Amino acid sequence: MSLSPNAALLDKLRAHHPLVQCITNSVVPNFTANVLLAIGAAPAMTDIVGESGSFARVASGLLVNLGTPTPEQREAMEEAVIAANDAATPWVLDPVAIGFLPIRTRLAQQLAPQNPFAVRGNASEILALAGEGAGGKGVESVDSTDAAAPAAIALAQRLRTVVAVSGPEDLITDGQRIIRVGNGDELLTKVTGGGCALGALIAAFAAVRGDYAPVEAVTAAHCVYDIAAEKAAAQAAGPGSFAVSLIDALSTLTAADITTAEKIREEKVQA
Amino acid sequence: MSLSPNAALLDKLRAHHPLVQCITNSVVPNFTANVLLAIGAAPAMTDIVGESGSFARVASGLLVNLGTPTPEQREAMEEAVIAANDAATPWVLDPVAIGFLPIRTRLAQQLAPQNPFAVRGNASEILALAGEGAGGKGVESVDSTDAAAPAAIALAQRLRTVVAVSGPEDLITDGQRIIRVGNGDELLTKVTGGGCALGALIAAFAAVRGDYAPVEAVTAAHCVYDIAAEKAAAQAAGPGSFAVSLIDALSTLTAADITTAEKIREEKVQA
Amino acid sequence: MSLSPNAALLDKLRAHHPLVQCITNSVVPNFTANVLLAIGAAPAMTDIVGESGSFARVASGLLVNLGTPTPEQREAMEEAVIAANDAATPWVLDPVAIGFLPIRTRLAQQLAPQNPFAVRGNASEILALAGEGAGGKGVESVDSTDAAAPAAIALAQRLRTVVAVSGPEDLITDGQRIIRVGNGDELLTKVTGGGCALGALIAAFAAVRGDYAPVEAVTAAHCVYDIAAEKAAAQAAGPGSFAVSLIDALSTLTAADITTAEKIREEKVQA
């Protein structure tokens, strides 16, 4: 069996063991770090002013997650993004719960034009970043993935980046190609940080993409994460055991598992 | 079988999916959010200055937990409590480890008169808030629930709120009624944040109480949490697997389970 | 069977229930607190300015971990270390990821001479603190334990403290004696905070050492933790279930288990 691009990228990630810096919210650092370790990456939560930029220069990838943006973190994010761009470190923006909340919404608008490798969020967050919605209910989306598709495409074209919308079916676009990932499990929405950890995984795949297109690296992150979720859900008794099994599944998934299980659909954006 | 008030409130919570804002300590946000998700609420840990008030206006309930009160959080708490009161969002005060430590003790004394829906803590914390004790040993109580009963009743009367004292048997009072919940398991004291997550659950039940008395909403939170703990303890091999099973149990408990398992005693305060 | 010193110290820890204050990074407080609770200690993450010193005076032991040192934490660490020394509270320094990152490296150099009970880290961190290396790759070591042995011994002699180097085989030295612990499991490196929690455990054992030498208390922490890891690994399906089983194992391990399973080698430093 020949490996799919998603499967090949998983093998590359494990071979390269990328160092992923995360400036993330106070709820999820532990889960995020364990997801990165399980998949074979090296996490580092370096998020203080005076160190975040130095680290972003040597990191393989960077996540900037706006979940609980303290003043210290906001300044550290600016510092890290400038350094990441200077050192060609790919960085991922996760505009958590923007729309209604003023500080993170302004911050997202300020960071989004600074050349992120990818922007990920739920439908409400992507709509809000595109200026077309009021945002969701806290971290939960009140809009469907399909409703956010035109905004995601327009945003990808405008920012020249990859935009990923999480939902029952994930949508990933670079403004030209639209890839939908049909894997996953609803239990992912019952574990806090389910989406936040995916942002870190995108940074890890971005770091090892080589000749694969950015949209393919982002797709691989979703695909691997969602298939691990399916495997975990099959043996979970609820969201507690699901989260534990998800970490186990990420560490034991093989490239062959990915090739067999992936549900990918692709189309071109209509001109 | 007709449902008990505790069981009926669990069904209401799941139907209404309340949005619970938590300004809580750095040890427990992940566990607290997972407890809220498991029971069917939507967590949001919005705790920065400039956003905590905006969020408190739209949240269904708010938890203010003093476990690791940074200067940023202290200011965010003030902002959130004022907004919550203005918008009639019920808020819960958890005065973690007050008594000996000066900053949180002053903060608790300042927040307690600002119309909380409920105050929860262990016996030592409630005694300290009532001005009758020196507080416990860190987060652990050195006093018994019964020893704190008179202080809890007096505090509830003075603040016109509900006061809940956690212990082997929980005591909940609004200054007129005293309800004791005999459910629970000692393993809850071996999981960090066992009490902190209960504070968030109280805010969730407060949000959906409808015509039930405040003291009944607080009782329902204790009762549901304690029965989930009993279910989890039955299959745990230690505190690690207990914490995982507790999340699973919160997500699978039914109203009928509550009605069957609850151990509630009520008495009137002697005039 | 007579108990080994490691086993006897485990029994002492459970009998004394030491109160361990942790000023630690934002990734690991929950896991660290659960490790302490599981072994029988009482955790308290009191890390704010104005309280950290008061608490260090009454705590049984103190951990200072430099993983994500915010300005608030840096000031709280200074306050706590001064108070700990004044009150004879043993404190442990974990210089996470020092070497390349400027703020934590300066902070470690400033704290290390202030009479820590022990310093723990991986080989790269200990080399960096000794001024002989550039530090590792984030939190991961790029140097072997043996390569760090001379630096560890010299550092222990210079600082008059115990230095512990974590690795496939752990090395612990007070500058005169060298003790190697051959227990453990590689899965410990796949759980975030695996090393950080060990620092807290060292503080717990330091608190109850009585007439045992400091180097023996530090060894006991490593030995107990590593044997719990072996027990957990035997039934884990990956790093997720391993972390859960590790907490369970810490709570159920007996002194007899330790005496049977420990793999300790000791030598003298050559004059």
Side-chain angles (χ1 to χ4, degrees):
Chain A
M1 183 171 65
S2 76
L3 294 183
S4 72
N6 297 312
L9 277 162
L10 174 58
D11 279 347
K12 284 195 72 173
L13 193 160
R14 288 191 176 136
H16 284 87
H17 190 51
L19 178 60
V20 180
Q21 179 181 4
C22 301
I23 305 180
T24 194
N25 67 73
S26 60
V27 187
V28 303
N30 191 272
F31 184 67
T32 302
N34 280 333
V35 162
L36 287 171
L37 284 167
I39 203 65
M45 270 53 186
T46 310
D47 66 350
I48 64 169
V49 175
E51 291 193 348
S52 69
S54 305
F55 205 88
R57 290 181 184 280
V58 300
S60 315
L62 166 67
L63 168 68
V64 175
N65 173 301
L66 308 188
T68 53
T70 59
E72 173 83 7
Q73 271 201 340
R74 299 200 292 269
E75 197 177 335
M77 287 171 184
E78 289 286 350
E79 178 184 319
V81 163
I82 289 169
N85 283 333
D86 194 50
T89 304
W91 71 278
V92 175
L93 176 64
D94 189 339
V96 180
I98 65 162
F100 170 69
L101 293 167
I103 289 173
R104 67 190 67 203
T105 304
R106 277 197 304 274
L107 184 59
Q109 285 158 349
Q110 186 181 327
L111 292 171
Q114 295 186 51
N115 197 31
F117 178 84
V119 177
R120 78 149 299 280
N122 63 35
S124 295
E125 290 158 350
I126 297 302
L127 282 164
L129 189 62
E132 296 182 22
K137 184 189 179 193
V139 300
E140 300 195 349
S141 185
V142 296
D143 303 288
S144 76
T145 305
D146 278 343
I153 293 164
L155 194 63
Q157 291 173 344
R158 175 154 59 87
L159 300 176
R160 299 176 185 272
T161 190
V162 177
V163 175
V165 186
S166 294
E169 191 177 47
D170 301 320
L171 180 150
I172 300 134
T173 181
D174 59 5
Q176 313 301 322
R177 299 163 67 183
I178 304 172
I179 303 179
R180 286 186 168 83
V181 180
N183 300 100
D185 191 278
E186 208 202 334
L187 275 170
L188 267 180
T189 66
K190 297 296 175 196
V191 176
T192 196
C196 300
L198 176 55
L201 220 48
I202 294 172
F205 276 96
V208 300
R209 75 177 174 93
D211 292 335
Y212 287 94
V215 74
E216 291 169 328
V218 177
T219 299
H222 284 75
C223 191
V224 166
Y225 194 61
D226 286 354
I227 291 171
E230 291 175 359
K231 202 171 158 185
Q235 52 189 323
S241 46
F242 170 76
V244 173
S245 293
L246 178 60
I247 301 291
D248 285 351
L250 285 165
S251 76
T252 53
L253 264 188
T254 65
D257 292 336
I258 301 299
T259 305
T260 305
E262 67 180 28
K263 296 180 190 162
I264 304 287
R265 290 191 298 137
E266 175 162 354
E267 57 184 298
K268 294 277 176 222
V269 171
Q270 305 299 320
Chain B
M1 184 171 64
S2 77
L3 294 183
S4 71
N6 298 310
L9 277 162
L10 173 59
D11 278 347
K12 283 195 73 172
L13 193 160
R14 288 192 175 134
H16 284 87
H17 191 52
L19 178 60
V20 180
Q21 179 181 4
C22 301
I23 304 182
T24 192
N25 68 73
S26 59
V27 187
V28 304
N30 190 272
F31 184 67
T32 303
N34 280 333
V35 162
L36 286 170
L37 284 166
I39 202 66
M45 270 56 186
T46 309
D47 65 351
I48 64 170
V49 174
E51 291 193 347
S52 69
S54 305
F55 205 87
R57 288 182 185 280
V58 299
S60 316
L62 166 68
L63 168 67
V64 175
N65 171 301
L66 308 188
T68 54
T70 59
E72 173 83 8
Q73 270 200 342
R74 299 199 293 268
E75 197 177 335
M77 288 170 183
E78 289 286 350
E79 178 183 318
V81 163
I82 289 169
N85 283 332
D86 193 49
T89 304
W91 72 278
V92 174
L93 176 65
D94 188 339
V96 180
I98 65 162
F100 170 68
L101 293 168
I103 289 174
R104 68 191 66 202
T105 303
R106 277 197 303 273
L107 184 58
Q109 284 158 349
Q110 186 180 327
L111 292 171
Q114 294 185 52
N115 197 30
F117 178 84
V119 176
R120 78 151 296 280
N122 62 37
S124 294
E125 291 158 350
I126 297 303
L127 281 164
L129 189 62
E132 297 182 20
K137 185 188 178 193
V139 299
E140 300 193 352
S141 184
V142 295
D143 302 288
S144 76
T145 304
D146 277 344
I153 293 163
L155 194 63
Q157 291 172 345
R158 174 154 59 87
L159 300 177
R160 297 174 187 275
T161 188
V162 177
V163 175
V165 186
S166 294
E169 191 179 47
D170 301 320
L171 179 150
I172 300 135
T173 180
D174 59 4
Q176 311 302 322
R177 298 163 66 182
I178 304 171
I179 304 179
R180 287 186 167 84
V181 180
N183 300 98
D185 191 279
E186 208 202 333
L187 276 169
L188 266 180
T189 66
K190 297 296 175 195
V191 175
T192 195
C196 300
L198 175 55
L201 219 48
I202 294 171
F205 277 95
V208 299
R209 77 176 172 93
D211 293 335
Y212 288 93
V215 73
E216 291 169 327
V218 177
T219 298
H222 283 74
C223 189
V224 166
Y225 195 61
D226 286 355
I227 292 171
E230 291 175 358
K231 202 171 158 186
Q235 52 189 322
S241 48
F242 170 75
V244 173
S245 293
L246 178 62
I247 301 290
D248 285 351
L250 285 165
S251 77
T252 53
L253 265 188
T254 64
D257 292 336
I258 301 299
T259 305
T260 306
E262 67 181 29
K263 297 181 190 160
I264 305 286
R265 291 190 297 138
E266 177 162 354
E267 56 186 299
K268 295 277 177 225
V269 171
Q270 305 299 321
Chain C
M1 184 171 64
S2 77
L3 293 184
S4 71
N6 298 311
L9 277 161
L10 174 59
D11 279 347
K12 284 195 73 172
L13 194 160
R14 289 193 175 132
H16 285 86
H17 191 53
L19 178 60
V20 180
Q21 179 181 5
C22 302
I23 305 182
T24 193
N25 68 75
S26 60
V27 187
V28 304
N30 190 272
F31 184 67
T32 302
N34 280 333
V35 162
L36 287 170
L37 284 167
I39 203 65
M45 271 52 186
T46 310
D47 65 350
I48 65 169
V49 175
E51 291 193 348
S52 69
S54 305
F55 205 86
R57 288 180 185 281
V58 299
S60 316
L62 166 68
L63 167 68
V64 175
N65 172 302
L66 308 188
T68 54
T70 58
E72 173 82 8
Q73 270 201 340
R74 298 200 293 269
E75 197 177 335
M77 287 171 184
E78 289 287 350
E79 178 183 320
V81 164
I82 290 168
N85 283 333
D86 194 49
T89 305
W91 71 278
V92 175
L93 176 64
D94 188 339
V96 181
I98 64 162
F100 170 69
L101 293 167
I103 290 173
R104 67 190 66 200
T105 304
R106 276 197 305 273
L107 184 59
Q109 284 158 349
Q110 186 181 326
L111 292 171
Q114 294 184 51
N115 198 29
F117 178 84
V119 177
R120 78 151 297 278
N122 62 37
S124 294
E125 290 157 351
I126 296 303
L127 281 165
L129 189 62
E132 297 182 20
K137 184 188 180 193
V139 299
E140 299 195 351
S141 184
V142 296
D143 302 288
S144 75
T145 304
D146 278 343
I153 293 164
L155 194 63
Q157 292 172 344
R158 176 155 59 87
L159 300 176
R160 296 175 186 272
T161 188
V162 177
V163 175
V165 186
S166 293
E169 191 178 47
D170 301 319
L171 181 150
I172 299 133
T173 181
D174 59 4
Q176 312 301 322
R177 299 164 65 184
I178 304 172
I179 303 179
R180 286 186 168 83
V181 180
N183 300 100
D185 191 279
E186 208 202 333
L187 275 169
L188 266 180
T189 67
K190 298 297 175 195
V191 175
T192 197
C196 301
L198 176 55
L201 220 48
I202 294 171
F205 277 95
V208 300
R209 76 177 172 93
D211 293 333
Y212 287 94
V215 73
E216 291 169 327
V218 177
T219 298
H222 283 75
C223 189
V224 166
Y225 194 60
D226 286 355
I227 291 171
E230 291 175 358
K231 201 171 160 187
Q235 52 189 325
S241 47
F242 170 76
V244 173
S245 292
L246 178 60
I247 301 291
D248 285 352
L250 285 165
S251 77
T252 54
L253 265 187
T254 64
D257 292 336
I258 301 299
T259 305
T260 306
E262 67 180 28
K263 297 181 189 160
I264 304 287
R265 291 189 298 137
E266 175 160 356
E267 57 185 299
K268 294 276 176 226
V269 171
Q270 305 299 320

